[in-house]
């Protein structure tokens, strides 16, 4: 698979050799990532003008800098070459081999709400409720402080009610086919 991420970079060639992702660049430079060290793969979609959407696969590896693969290569100022079919075929092969070598690796889609984000929101609301109630009580407006704090606690409880469904959906492992499906 080949891509060009911007006008200032040369074309990069990617291949899978001996359970490693290999990137070859201009002047014979080469970089390798062991698929056994794959920790996470995140697929995101970016709009690049009109209705065109570019897919980006961000790979994280243990003790190494990650890599980003894109479905559209830059061909000129504001011009992109759509390589979505080749990108999906290469990404599916890469993820199949990566998950075989590193079964602990996680596959995610960017932009989806997950349980971790909701837990952080619950924690922020709990801290906010304590601060609002405490500061209002310290200034002598106990009724107002308790009222505003109770509203934040109510929002916290509403978000908590959704958590079991988010956790259940996130518990199902996302496979390469489901990740790259339209």
């Amino acid at each position: 698979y080949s891509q060009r991420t911007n006008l200032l970079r040369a074309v990069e060639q990617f291949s899978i050799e001996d359970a490693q992702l290999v990137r070859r660049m201009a002047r014979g430079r080469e970089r390798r990532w062991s698929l056994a060290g794959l920790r996470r793969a995140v697929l995101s979609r970016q709009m690049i003008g009109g209705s065109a959407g570019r897919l980006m696969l961000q790979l994280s590896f243990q003790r190494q800098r990650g890599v980003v693969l894109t479905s559209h290569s830059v061909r000129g100022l504001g011009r992109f070459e759509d390589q979505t079919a080749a990108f999906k075929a290469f990404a599916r092969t890469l993820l199949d081999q990566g998950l075989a070598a590193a079964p602990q690796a996680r596959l995610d889609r960017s932009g989806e709400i997950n349980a971790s984000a909701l837990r952080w929101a619950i924690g922020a609301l709990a801290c906010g409720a304590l601060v609002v109630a405490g500061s209002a009580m310290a200034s002598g407006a106990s009724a107002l402080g308790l009222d505003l704090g109770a509203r934040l606690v109510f929002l916290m409880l509403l978000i908590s009610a959704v958590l079991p469904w988010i956790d259940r959906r996130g518990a199902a492992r996302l496979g390469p086919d489901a990740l790259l499906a339209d």
Side-chain angles (χ1 to χ4, degrees):
Y1 181 73
S2 65
Q3 70 180 17
R4 185 175 185 186
T5 54
N6 64 45
L7 290 174
L8 301 176
R9 289 184 83 160
V11 175
E12 303 169 323
Q13 302 285 333
F14 288 92
S15 61
I16 302 169
E17 300 172 5
D18 301 324
Q20 291 183 331
L21 175 63
V22 180
R23 176 176 67 186
R24 289 187 177 86
M25 299 181 300
R27 291 184 233 126
R29 292 185 306 172
E30 182 177 287
R31 177 87 193 257
R32 292 177 175 267
W33 292 269
S34 172
L35 293 179
L38 181 65
R39 285 189 343 213
R40 188 171 184 208
V42 179
L43 184 75
S44 61
R45 184 180 301 270
Q46 290 183 333
M47 300 313 287
I48 56 171
S51 62
R54 172 172 56 182
L55 296 174
M56 295 179 67
L57 183 64
Q58 190 173 22
L59 303 170
S60 300
F61 294 88
Q62 293 175 350
R63 295 183 295 273
Q64 285 184 320
R65 192 172 169 182
V67 65
V68 176
L69 299 170
T70 63
S71 65
H72 286 63
S73 284
V74 176
R75 291 293 170 221
L77 198 56
R79 293 190 341 245
F80 297 94
E81 180 183 354
D82 185 2
Q83 306 177 123
T84 303
F87 170 80
K88 284 185 174 184
F90 182 75
R92 190 169 283 119
T93 303
L94 173 66
L95 292 175
D96 283 339
Q97 290 186 23
L99 289 176
Q104 78 284 357
R106 285 187 14 213
L107 301 181
D108 290 321
R109 277 196 193 99
S110 177
E112 288 189 355
I113 295 177
N114 58 19
S116 176
L118 289 180
R119 287 189 187 101
W120 277 100
I122 290 168
L125 285 171
C127 291
L130 290 174
V131 168
V132 166
S135 62
M137 286 181 180
S139 67
S142 300
L144 178 64
L146 289 176
D147 184 43
L148 292 175
R151 290 170 193 252
L152 290 175
V153 169
F154 178 71
L155 284 175
M156 187 175 66
L157 291 173
L158 282 177
I159 293 173
S160 298
V162 175
L163 262 178
W165 287 278
I166 297 293
D167 277 341
R168 191 176 310 133
R169 190 192 73 192
R173 297 280 300 183
L174 194 60
D177 292 329
L179 181 68
L180 295 166
D182 286 331

